[in-house]
Amino acid sequence: QVQLVESGGGLVQAGGSLRLSCAASGSIFSIPVMGWYRQAPGKQRELVANIPSGGTTNYADSSKGRFTISRDNAKNTVYLQMNSLKPEDTGVYYCNIVVKTRGAQIMNYWGQGTQVTVSS
């Protein structure tokens, strides 16, 4: 089993910044991919950004130039630094990780979600 603990959401004015964190623990051998998704009210969950263990980061067009994803492999933690926030960034942000277990299984896990609200 793998547990994810998210933190860092909140209410911020447009133009402000927030930093999200997601720490993973449990039966983890490696984490090939870590990422963040957003679900706005009435909309489907969508990718914000992800970061492979040894490759290039990927960003949604709406995130490029404003958000930065990073990871600390020693802590099994992924971060999302969000700057120049806009009201359309409002939603529940979910951490997502792809884990390779010690038994060589590939498993997909989601965090509990953290609310980000950007006021105009």
Side-chain angles (χ1 to χ4, degrees):
Q1 273 288 9
V2 173
Q3 296 77 42
L4 300 180
V5 177
E6 298 182 22
S7 61
L11 173 65
V12 64
Q13 287 189 330
S17 298
L18 285 173
R19 189 188 193 214
L20 306 183
S21 300
C22 175
S25 62
S27 181
I28 297 171
F29 177 74
S30 66
I31 306 179
V33 183
M34 307 183 85
W36 290 94
Y37 287 72
R38 173 177 64 225
Q39 188 162 20
K43 295 188 177 181
Q44 289 188 329
R45 194 173 298 186
E46 61 181 4
L47 175 70
V48 174
N50 65 23
I51 180 169
S53 59
T56 307
T57 54
N58 301 296
Y59 293 93
D61 288 343
S62 59
S63 306
K64 289 178 182 176
R66 300 186 299 123
F67 295 1
T68 302
I69 190 170
S70 60
R71 59 189 287 173
D72 183 334
N73 292 327
K75 296 180 179 180
N76 287 338
T77 299
V78 61
Y79 305 96
L80 184 68
Q81 177 66 45
M82 303 186 292
N83 299 328
S84 302
L85 282 161
K86 304 175 181 179
E88 51 263 44
D89 295 319
T90 295
V92 179
Y93 283 69
Y94 295 92
C95 171
N96 174 260
I97 66 169
V98 176
V99 169
K100 184 176 181 181
T101 69
R102 298 182 188 281
Q105 288 181 301
I106 302 297
M107 307 289 287
N108 189 42
Y109 292 94
W110 292 92
Q112 79 278 11
T114 185
Q115 177 70 43
V116 171
T117 303
V118 184
S119 63
S120 56

